[in-house]
Amino acid sequence: MNFGTEPYLISIHDNAVCASGVRFINHDVSVHRVAYYLGLKRTDIDKVGSIELFENSFVGAYSILMPNCSIGKNSIVAAGSIVTKRIPDGEVWGGIPAKFIMKTEDYARKMVEESKKFT
């Protein structure tokens, strides 16, 4: 089996934070059902991939990170999201599957304005 060129299946950089219940899925075992369906050996096909959380990223509670995804520097994943691709630096993503919502700097400005309501 080829596990890719990445040195690690999960890489977590400085200040990356995961809330509770986040799941890291590096191996999609459903490919074995596909192999059976196609009459292949279980080892003929596979889906394994790395997951990387870059500096200052945040992953919300109960999100699922799928093979070959990454969370860019200063990016945020909303709670309950399913991430299936690489999220660029400085972006907020959410949903099933996760999609672009806004830039992190816009989210920060929004939070500052909303916080003023409570002072």
Side-chain angles (χ1 to χ4, degrees):
M1 276 190 258
N2 181 0
F3 287 91
T5 58
E6 292 82 9
Y8 304 105
L9 287 177
I10 298 175
S11 297
I12 301 175
H13 297 261
D14 292 339
N15 288 331
V17 175
C18 290
S20 65
V22 173
R23 295 183 183 194
F24 293 76
I25 310 294
N26 291 96
H27 186 208
D28 184 350
V29 183
S30 69
V31 295
H32 296 302
R33 294 288 88 206
V34 173
Y36 178 78
Y37 173 77
L38 295 174
L40 302 171
K41 292 183 288 182
R42 287 177 48 182
T43 56
D44 287 342
I45 60 174
D46 211 347
K47 184 175 181 183
V48 176
S50 65
I51 297 171
E52 191 162 12
L53 306 182
F54 287 95
E55 291 84 351
N56 304 314
S57 60
F58 175 78
V59 181
Y62 301 102
S63 292
I64 300 172
L65 307 178
M66 297 299 290
N68 292 319
C69 76
S70 64
I71 314 302
K73 293 178 184 177
N74 302 307
S75 289
I76 298 170
V77 174
S81 298
I82 298 179
V83 180
T84 61
K85 56 182 72 175
R86 300 185 189 284
I87 294 176
D89 294 348
E91 294 187 357
V92 178
W93 284 51
I96 301 174
K99 294 181 177 155
F100 174 77
I101 297 173
M102 68 179 66
K103 293 287 191 178
T104 304
E105 63 188 48
D106 296 331
Y107 180 70
R109 276 193 224 100
K110 182 178 177 180
M111 291 298 97
V112 168
E113 287 304 312
E114 286 190 18
S115 293
K116 289 177 183 177
K117 296 175 188 175
F118 302 107
T119 59

